[in-house]
PDB file of all heavy atoms in Angstrom:
ATOM      1  N   ASP A1474       8.761   0.932  26.302  1.00 98.00           N
ATOM      2  CA  ASP A1474       8.315  -0.286  25.634  1.00 98.00           C
ATOM      3  C   ASP A1474       7.515   0.085  24.388  1.00 98.00           C
ATOM      4  O   ASP A1474       6.314   0.351  24.484  1.00 98.00           O
ATOM      5  CB  ASP A1474       7.451  -1.103  26.615  1.00 98.00           C
ATOM      6  CG  ASP A1474       6.898  -2.367  25.993  1.00 98.00           C
ATOM      7  OD1 ASP A1474       7.527  -2.894  25.051  1.00 98.00           O
ATOM      8  OD2 ASP A1474       5.838  -2.832  26.457  1.00 98.00           O
ATOM      9  N   PRO A1475       8.160   0.120  23.200  1.00 98.00           N
ATOM     10  CA  PRO A1475       7.405   0.429  21.977  1.00 98.00           C
ATOM     11  C   PRO A1475       6.462  -0.734  21.656  1.00 98.00           C
ATOM     12  O   PRO A1475       6.902  -1.857  21.413  1.00 98.00           O
ATOM     13  CB  PRO A1475       8.493   0.561  20.899  1.00 98.00           C
ATOM     14  CG  PRO A1475       9.806   0.630  21.653  1.00 98.00           C
ATOM     15  CD  PRO A1475       9.588  -0.113  22.922  1.00 98.00           C
ATOM     16  N   GLY A1476       5.171  -0.464  21.666  1.00 98.00           N
ATOM     17  CA  GLY A1476       4.201  -1.529  21.471  1.00 98.00           C
ATOM     18  C   GLY A1476       4.396  -2.272  20.161  1.00 98.00           C
ATOM     19  O   GLY A1476       4.658  -1.670  19.114  1.00 98.00           O
ATOM     20  N   HIS A1477       4.296  -3.613  20.230  1.00 98.00           N
ATOM     21  CA  HIS A1477       4.407  -4.486  19.066  1.00 98.00           C
ATOM     22  C   HIS A1477       5.828  -4.431  18.482  1.00 98.00           C
ATOM     23  O   HIS A1477       6.762  -4.026  19.178  1.00 98.00           O
ATOM     24  CB  HIS A1477       3.323  -4.164  18.041  1.00 98.00           C
ATOM     25  CG  HIS A1477       1.964  -4.020  18.682  1.00 98.00           C
ATOM     26  ND1 HIS A1477       1.271  -5.097  19.173  1.00 98.00           N
ATOM     27  CD2 HIS A1477       1.216  -2.914  18.960  1.00 98.00           C
ATOM     28  CE1 HIS A1477       0.125  -4.667  19.713  1.00 98.00           C
ATOM     29  NE2 HIS A1477       0.084  -3.346  19.607  1.00 98.00           N
ATOM     30  N   ASN A1478       5.986  -4.804  17.242  1.00 98.00           N
ATOM     31  CA  ASN A1478       7.292  -4.842  16.597  1.00 98.00           C
ATOM     32  C   ASN A1478       7.025  -4.899  15.097  1.00 98.00           C
ATOM     33  O   ASN A1478       6.193  -5.700  14.658  1.00 98.00           O
ATOM     34  CB  ASN A1478       8.067  -6.086  17.055  1.00 98.00           C
ATOM     35  CG  ASN A1478       9.495  -6.146  16.529  1.00 98.00           C
ATOM     36  OD1 ASN A1478       9.778  -5.740  15.403  1.00 98.00           O
ATOM     37  ND2 ASN A1478      10.399  -6.675  17.324  1.00 98.00           N
ATOM     38  N   PRO A1479       7.699  -4.067  14.297  1.00 98.00           N
ATOM     39  CA  PRO A1479       7.459  -4.125  12.850  1.00 98.00           C
ATOM     40  C   PRO A1479       7.666  -5.515  12.260  1.00 98.00           C
ATOM     41  O   PRO A1479       7.062  -5.848  11.239  1.00 98.00           O
ATOM     42  CB  PRO A1479       8.484  -3.125  12.287  1.00 98.00           C
ATOM     43  CG  PRO A1479       8.713  -2.154  13.407  1.00 98.00           C
ATOM     44  CD  PRO A1479       8.646  -2.981  14.661  1.00 98.00           C
ATOM     45  N   GLY A1480       8.498  -6.346  12.908  1.00 98.00           N
ATOM     46  CA  GLY A1480       8.753  -7.687  12.393  1.00 98.00           C
ATOM     47  C   GLY A1480       7.691  -8.710  12.748  1.00 98.00           C
ATOM     48  O   GLY A1480       7.727  -9.844  12.248  1.00 98.00           O
ATOM     49  N   ASN A1481       6.739  -8.342  13.598  1.00 98.00           N
ATOM     50  CA  ASN A1481       5.715  -9.297  14.018  1.00 98.00           C
ATOM     51  C   ASN A1481       4.910  -9.855  12.846  1.00 98.00           C
ATOM     52  O   ASN A1481       4.475 -11.002  12.881  1.00 98.00           O
ATOM     53  CB  ASN A1481       4.757  -8.653  15.022  1.00 98.00           C
ATOM     54  CG  ASN A1481       5.331  -8.586  16.425  1.00 98.00           C
ATOM     55  OD1 ASN A1481       6.459  -9.005  16.670  1.00 98.00           O
ATOM     56  ND2 ASN A1481       4.567  -8.038  17.347  1.00 98.00           N
ATOM     57  N   VAL A1482       4.710  -9.054  11.814  1.00 97.00           N
ATOM     58  CA  VAL A1482       3.903  -9.506  10.671  1.00 97.00           C
ATOM     59  C   VAL A1482       4.559 -10.668   9.940  1.00 97.00           C
ATOM     60  O   VAL A1482       3.880 -11.407   9.225  1.00 97.00           O
ATOM     61  CB  VAL A1482       3.648  -8.344   9.686  1.00 97.00           C
ATOM     62  CG1 VAL A1482       2.801  -7.267  10.333  1.00 97.00           C
ATOM     63  CG2 VAL A1482       4.952  -7.748   9.177  1.00 97.00           C
ATOM     64  N   ARG A1483       5.859 -10.843  10.111  1.00 97.00           N
ATOM     65  CA  ARG A1483       6.561 -11.958   9.456  1.00 97.00           C
ATOM     66  C   ARG A1483       6.735 -13.153  10.391  1.00 97.00           C
ATOM     67  O   ARG A1483       7.360 -14.148  10.008  1.00 97.00           O
ATOM     68  CB  ARG A1483       7.938 -11.488   8.962  1.00 97.00           C
ATOM     69  CG  ARG A1483       7.856 -10.397   7.904  1.00 97.00           C
ATOM     70  CD  ARG A1483       9.231 -10.020   7.370  1.00 97.00           C
ATOM     71  NE  ARG A1483      10.063  -9.415   8.392  1.00 97.00           N
ATOM     72  CZ  ARG A1483      10.054  -8.115   8.699  1.00 97.00           C
ATOM     73  NH1 ARG A1483       9.215  -7.291   8.060  1.00 97.00           N
ATOM     74  NH2 ARG A1483      10.836  -7.625   9.640  1.00 97.00           N
ATOM     75  N   HIS A1484       6.217 -13.033  11.613  1.00 98.00           N
ATOM     76  CA  HIS A1484       6.386 -14.109  12.605  1.00 98.00           C
ATOM     77  C   HIS A1484       5.066 -14.346  13.328  1.00 98.00           C
ATOM     78  O   HIS A1484       5.020 -14.380  14.562  1.00 98.00           O
ATOM     79  CB  HIS A1484       7.488 -13.740  13.599  1.00 98.00           C
ATOM     80  CG  HIS A1484       8.840 -13.602  12.978  1.00 98.00           C
ATOM     81  ND1 HIS A1484       9.705 -14.665  12.831  1.00 98.00           N
ATOM     82  CD2 HIS A1484       9.474 -12.521  12.448  1.00 98.00           C
ATOM     83  CE1 HIS A1484      10.824 -14.257  12.244  1.00 98.00           C
ATOM     84  NE2 HIS A1484      10.708 -12.950  12.005  1.00 98.00           N
ATOM     85  N   THR A1485       4.005 -14.522  12.555  1.00 97.00           N
ATOM     86  CA  THR A1485       2.684 -14.654  13.160  1.00 97.00           C
ATOM     87  C   THR A1485       2.553 -15.922  14.007  1.00 97.00           C
ATOM     88  O   THR A1485       1.840 -15.917  15.014  1.00 97.00           O
ATOM     89  CB  THR A1485       1.604 -14.644  12.073  1.00 97.00           C
ATOM     90  OG1 THR A1485       1.910 -15.642  11.086  1.00 97.00           O
ATOM     91  CG2 THR A1485       1.547 -13.275  11.401  1.00 97.00           C
ATOM     92  N   ALA A1486       3.228 -17.001  13.624  1.00 98.00           N
ATOM     93  CA  ALA A1486       3.141 -18.238  14.414  1.00 98.00           C
ATOM     94  C   ALA A1486       3.816 -18.060  15.770  1.00 98.00           C
ATOM     95  O   ALA A1486       3.286 -18.503  16.802  1.00 98.00           O
ATOM     96  CB  ALA A1486       3.780 -19.396  13.650  1.00 98.00           C
ATOM     97  N   GLU A1487       4.962 -17.389  15.781  1.00 98.00           N
ATOM     98  CA  GLU A1487       5.687 -17.190  17.033  1.00 98.00           C
ATOM     99  C   GLU A1487       4.913 -16.303  18.002  1.00 98.00           C
ATOM    100  O   GLU A1487       4.846 -16.582  19.205  1.00 98.00           O
ATOM    101  CB  GLU A1487       7.063 -16.569  16.758  1.00 98.00           C
ATOM    102  CG  GLU A1487       8.051 -17.496  16.063  1.00 98.00           C
ATOM    103  CD  GLU A1487       7.969 -17.412  14.539  1.00 98.00           C
ATOM    104  OE1 GLU A1487       6.927 -16.922  14.026  1.00 98.00           O
ATOM    105  OE2 GLU A1487       8.942 -17.817  13.886  1.00 98.00           O
ATOM    106  N   ILE A1488       4.325 -15.218  17.494  1.00 98.00           N
ATOM    107  CA  ILE A1488       3.642 -14.299  18.405  1.00 98.00           C
ATOM    108  C   ILE A1488       2.269 -14.821  18.825  1.00 98.00           C
ATOM    109  O   ILE A1488       1.664 -14.278  19.750  1.00 98.00           O
ATOM    110  CB  ILE A1488       3.511 -12.887  17.804  1.00 98.00           C
ATOM    111  CG1 ILE A1488       2.602 -12.886  16.576  1.00 98.00           C
ATOM    112  CG2 ILE A1488       4.878 -12.303  17.489  1.00 98.00           C
ATOM    113  CD1 ILE A1488       2.277 -11.488  16.058  1.00 98.00           C
ATOM    114  N   ALA A1489       1.802 -15.876  18.166  1.00 98.00           N
ATOM    115  CA  ALA A1489       0.488 -16.423  18.521  1.00 98.00           C
ATOM    116  C   ALA A1489       0.550 -17.389  19.699  1.00 98.00           C
ATOM    117  O   ALA A1489      -0.485 -17.722  20.277  1.00 98.00           O
ATOM    118  CB  ALA A1489      -0.129 -17.130  17.314  1.00 98.00           C
ATOM    119  N   ARG A1490       1.739 -17.814  20.083  1.00 98.00           N
ATOM    120  CA  ARG A1490       1.822 -18.771  21.195  1.00 98.00           C
ATOM    121  C   ARG A1490       1.374 -18.110  22.494  1.00 98.00           C
ATOM    122  O   ARG A1490       1.523 -16.898  22.688  1.00 98.00           O
ATOM    123  CB  ARG A1490       3.229 -19.342  21.323  1.00 98.00           C
ATOM    124  CG  ARG A1490       4.288 -18.392  21.814  1.00 98.00           C
ATOM    125  CD  ARG A1490       5.655 -19.078  21.875  1.00 98.00           C
ATOM    126  NE  ARG A1490       6.706 -18.191  22.329  1.00 98.00           N
ATOM    127  CZ  ARG A1490       6.997 -17.970  23.604  1.00 98.00           C
ATOM    128  NH1 ARG A1490       6.287 -18.551  24.561  1.00 98.00           N
ATOM    129  NH2 ARG A1490       7.986 -17.161  23.925  1.00 98.00           N
ATOM    130  N   GLN A1491       0.829 -18.904  23.378  1.00 98.00           N
ATOM    131  CA  GLN A1491       0.262 -18.398  24.626  1.00 98.00           C
ATOM    132  C   GLN A1491       1.325 -18.261  25.718  1.00 98.00           C
ATOM    133  O   GLN A1491       2.230 -19.097  25.835  1.00 98.00           O
ATOM    134  CB  GLN A1491      -0.835 -19.346  25.112  1.00 98.00           C
ATOM    135  CG  GLN A1491      -1.974 -19.538  24.118  1.00 98.00           C
ATOM    136  CD  GLN A1491      -2.952 -18.391  24.138  1.00 98.00           C
ATOM    137  OE1 GLN A1491      -3.554 -18.079  25.170  1.00 98.00           O
ATOM    138  NE2 GLN A1491      -3.134 -17.739  22.997  1.00 98.00           N
ATOM    139  N   VAL A1492       1.210 -17.201  26.501  1.00 98.00           N
ATOM    140  CA  VAL A1492       2.096 -16.995  27.648  1.00 98.00           C
ATOM    141  C   VAL A1492       1.240 -16.699  28.873  1.00 98.00           C
ATOM    142  O   VAL A1492       0.099 -16.251  28.762  1.00 98.00           O
ATOM    143  CB  VAL A1492       3.106 -15.839  27.407  1.00 98.00           C
ATOM    144  CG1 VAL A1492       4.022 -16.153  26.241  1.00 98.00           C
ATOM    145  CG2 VAL A1492       2.379 -14.515  27.177  1.00 98.00           C
ATOM    146  N   ASP A1493       1.795 -16.933  30.041  1.00 97.00           N
ATOM    147  CA  ASP A1493       1.088 -16.715  31.306  1.00 97.00           C
ATOM    148  C   ASP A1493       1.212 -15.252  31.714  1.00 97.00           C
ATOM    149  O   ASP A1493       2.329 -14.726  31.846  1.00 97.00           O
ATOM    150  CB  ASP A1493       1.693 -17.624  32.376  1.00 97.00           C
ATOM    151  CG  ASP A1493       0.974 -17.517  33.713  1.00 97.00           C
ATOM    152  OD1 ASP A1493      -0.067 -16.843  33.779  1.00 97.00           O
ATOM    153  OD2 ASP A1493       1.476 -18.105  34.699  1.00 97.00           O
TER     154      ASP A1493
END
Side-chain angles (χ1 to χ4, degrees):
D1474 178 27
H1477 314 288
N1478 185 324
N1481 281 1
V1482 295
R1483 297 184 295 274
H1484 296 272
T1485 53
E1487 290 89 341
I1488 65 172
R1490 70 181 179 86
Q1491 301 281 301
V1492 298
D1493 183 7

